[in-house]
Amino acid sequence: ETGVTQSPTHLIKTRGQQVTLRCSSQSGHNTVSWYQQALGQGPQFIFQYYREEENGRGNFPPRFSGLQFPNYSSELNVNALELDDSALYLCASSSLGGLTTYEQYFGPGTRLTVT
Amino acid sequence: GQQVMQIPQYQHVQEGEDFTTYCNSSTTLSNIQWYKQRPGGHPVFLIQLVKSGEVKKQKRLTFQFGEAKKNSSLHITATQTTDVGTYFCAGPNDYKLSFGAGTTVTVRA
């Protein structure tokens, strides 16, 4: 077990709604990254947070936003949900900050279904 | 942008046999990472390779980083049912980690 926790484990939302997913990073880790994993695909990088600031962003629209808190936990917010947002959302923490990309320790994920 | 590709997409292996999965990047990588995701689970970090030509072993798994640092391979010997899952390689690009689509391994007992 990595020590990275996510909540909720499963979520069903309707198109157009908003959702907030939560992540607690592993003790000692100050960087959190969020990934979207569609069925049968590899994780796709959404963004990374380091010292409470967005440190890098993948090819996702602005309706995907996030926060990192002083205790390094993080939230992923998605507005105006679309059917294609249905996926496993993974949070990953790492121990070194911001300058390079080291091994990621993933949480169990939140399975989001948009109907 | 950087692309990471893996082949094959699926690998069906008889228990006890060996197999290799390959990873190729469109750009030179500072390091390559490998992850394993069991069915219904989340990716778990296996290893990171940094040096050109580096070879690392973990029991029956052998990981290699190419001389040009643009490709990597994972070789599994004497496959066991515990090896079932999807193996991803991932390469850093600035602050992003780009994952390949993975090789999904099934094992015939």
Side-chain angles (χ1 to χ4, degrees):
Chain A
E1 293 297 322
T2 62
V4 180
T5 60
Q6 292 186 244
S7 62
T9 54
H10 295 86
L11 201 53
I12 299 175
K13 289 286 189 177
T14 302
R15 190 172 48 185
Q17 287 187 316
Q18 177 266 343
V19 68
T20 298
L21 310 181
R22 295 177 174 83
C23 169
S24 292
S25 61
Q26 184 165 314
S27 177
H29 287 184
N30 57 11
T31 303
V32 173
S33 300
W34 286 91
Y35 295 83
Q36 180 194 67
Q37 187 177 27
L39 204 59
Q41 297 183 20
Q44 298 296 311
F45 178 82
I46 302 175
F47 42 54
Q48 181 186 86
Y49 278 84
Y50 170 62
R51 292 184 175 176
E52 302 177 51
E53 292 191 0
E54 188 179 290
N55 195 35
R57 190 177 183 91
N59 189 26
F60 282 81
R63 59 189 185 84
F64 286 78
S65 63
L67 285 172
Q68 187 181 31
F69 301 99
N71 65 354
Y72 306 128
S73 65
S74 179
E75 286 183 354
L76 165 65
N77 299 288
V78 187
N79 293 321
L81 283 167
E82 300 176 0
L83 296 178
D84 285 348
D85 295 334
S86 295
L88 179 67
Y89 287 85
L90 295 160
C91 165
S93 71
S94 55
S95 60
L96 295 174
L99 299 180
T100 187
T101 305
Y102 291 86
E103 61 265 28
Q104 308 282 290
Y105 293 88
F106 285 88
T110 294
R111 175 71 61 186
L112 173 65
T113 302
V114 182
T115 62
Chain B
Q2 178 195 67
Q3 289 188 333
V4 176
M5 295 148 287
Q6 288 185 253
I7 54 169
Q9 183 178 1
Y10 297 99
Q11 184 79 54
H12 308 290
V13 188
Q14 181 72 41
E15 191 173 16
E17 289 185 341
D18 302 351
F19 75 91
T20 303
T21 178
Y22 299 91
C23 173
N24 292 287
S25 170
S26 57
T27 59
T28 301
L29 300 169
S30 59
N31 69 74
I32 188 83
Q33 300 172 26
W34 285 88
Y35 293 79
K36 177 182 179 181
Q37 186 172 21
R38 295 183 186 275
H42 57 275
V44 174
F45 173 77
L46 294 177
I47 207 160
Q48 178 176 266
L49 305 171
V50 178
K51 298 178 183 177
S52 169
E54 188 171 13
V55 177
K56 286 188 177 181
K57 293 189 176 183
Q58 288 182 349
K59 297 183 180 178
R60 296 177 296 102
L61 277 61
T62 301
F63 302 85
Q64 186 167 8
F65 201 7
E67 293 291 339
K69 302 183 76 172
K70 294 182 71 175
N71 57 74
S72 181
S73 64
L74 161 59
H75 180 78
I76 300 182
T77 58
T79 304
Q80 300 178 358
T81 55
T82 53
D83 296 323
V84 164
T86 301
Y87 294 83
F88 294 101
C89 64
N93 179 13
D94 292 332
Y95 304 124
K96 297 191 296 184
L97 196 59
S98 296
F99 281 77
T103 294
T104 298
V105 176
T106 56
V107 179
R108 299 189 301 272

